[in-house]
Amino acid sequence: NAGVTQTPKFQVLKTGQSMTLQCAQDMNHEYMSWYRQDPGMGLRLIHYSVGAGITDQGEVPNGYNVSRSTTEDFPLRLLSAAPSQTSVYFCASSYSREAGAQETQYFGPGTRLLVL
Amino acid sequence: SQQGEEDPQALSIQEGENATMNCSYKTSINNLQWYRQNSGRGLVHLILIRSNEREKHSGRLRVTLDTSKKSSSLLITASRAADTASYFCATDEEAAGNKLTFGGGTRVLVKP
């Protein structure tokens, strides 16, 4: 299994541009999520999905959109990039258990985004 | 705001020594997880400890959980240079639904 894959590895955008960060997993995980990590800090949850067709907001959702049309894919869209969105973005997936009980998260390698 | 807060923020030890880091949280949890992140990489899961467990071991790792104090500790015994990384705790709050909340991490440097 490839696990969780993310593309691109690195991206430079100009303010106002839009782009999509791709995330895919081949472990048949129902739960997928997007985090951002800023220098010297932990991860902050942007959006998450408990299954195909279901998405919800995390801690810092503004400026980002997600969709979950298949179990495997969970793209993150930046609508109009801002310098404050310069960060490292991680996608993660896990088996889904009963509500409120999170299991081991499997992380992708990350996408480094620089917004000028 | 972050649910889990690690302490210390940074730790420097010699190879062979033990490393201990702590995580405190604010609300009731279903479980608490520890992750490691090597520089420039994604996070790797180390241990998950459930709210009804007090201690778990995995190789050279030992995790304790004290729900009365809302705290957890991660002990790495006989550290190696390869243990140099950042370590994060993540809490699954009972009231937060399907979300994990990460702390700011402890940066560990193991000097050969």
Side-chain angles (χ1 to χ4, degrees):
Chain A
N1 289 348
V4 180
T5 58
Q6 291 183 240
T7 57
K9 290 184 179 180
F10 183 71
Q11 183 72 47
V12 179
L13 291 178
K14 294 181 180 178
T15 296
Q17 287 185 316
S18 62
M19 78 159 295
T20 299
L21 281 63
Q22 301 292 343
C23 174
Q25 52 89 12
D26 61 357
M27 297 174 281
N28 202 32
H29 286 168
E30 293 180 0
Y31 184 90
M32 296 185 74
S33 54
W34 277 101
Y35 295 88
R36 59 177 288 173
Q37 184 178 33
D38 299 302
M41 295 182 67
L43 279 70
R44 290 185 292 170
L45 182 65
I46 305 172
H47 285 286
Y48 66 99
S49 168
V50 299
I54 306 169
T55 63
D56 206 345
Q57 296 181 349
E59 182 185 356
V60 287
N62 292 342
Y64 308 94
N65 272 357
V66 291
S67 60
R68 185 91 180 273
S69 56
T70 67
T71 299
E72 295 78 18
D73 300 299
F74 191 43
L76 177 72
R77 282 183 290 276
L78 279 70
L79 308 173
S80 177
S84 61
Q85 294 178 304
T86 292
S87 188
V88 181
Y89 291 84
F90 290 100
C91 179
S93 72
S94 69
Y95 289 111
S96 194
R97 289 191 60 200
E98 63 272 16
Q102 269 303 308
E103 294 302 309
T104 299
Q105 301 282 304
Y106 294 82
F107 282 84
T111 294
R112 293 182 178 275
L113 177 66
L114 175 62
V115 182
L116 301 174
Chain B
S1 62
Q2 293 174 327
Q3 161 76 326
E5 296 290 342
E6 285 92 340
D7 172 60
Q9 290 188 335
L11 185 59
S12 180
I13 57 175
Q14 293 293 138
E15 206 166 25
E17 293 180 339
N18 295 343
T20 300
M21 60 210 83
N22 303 296
C23 171
S24 60
Y25 57 92
K26 300 185 178 81
T27 62
S28 296
I29 59 172
N30 294 307
N31 64 54
L32 186 145
Q33 304 179 31
W34 285 93
Y35 288 81
R36 183 187 72 231
Q37 183 180 35
N38 292 95
S39 181
R41 297 291 195 80
L43 278 71
V44 174
H45 180 259
L46 296 176
I47 288 184
L48 181 154
I49 186 164
R50 303 195 187 279
S51 60
N52 61 353
E53 298 175 312
R54 292 297 167 257
E55 188 172 312
K56 285 191 84 169
H57 297 256
S58 177
R60 294 182 295 110
L61 306 179
R62 172 178 169 254
V63 168
T64 62
L65 178 64
D66 187 334
T67 54
S68 67
K69 296 181 179 178
K70 292 187 171 55
S71 67
S72 174
S73 68
L74 170 65
L75 168 67
I76 305 172
T77 60
S79 62
R80 305 167 182 169
D83 294 327
T84 293
S86 291
Y87 293 82
F88 295 90
C89 69
T91 52
D92 171 22
E93 301 172 58
E94 287 183 349
N98 301 296
K99 301 175 191 175
L100 274 183
T101 305
F102 285 82
T106 294
R107 296 186 304 280
V108 175
L109 172 63
V110 181
K111 294 179 282 187

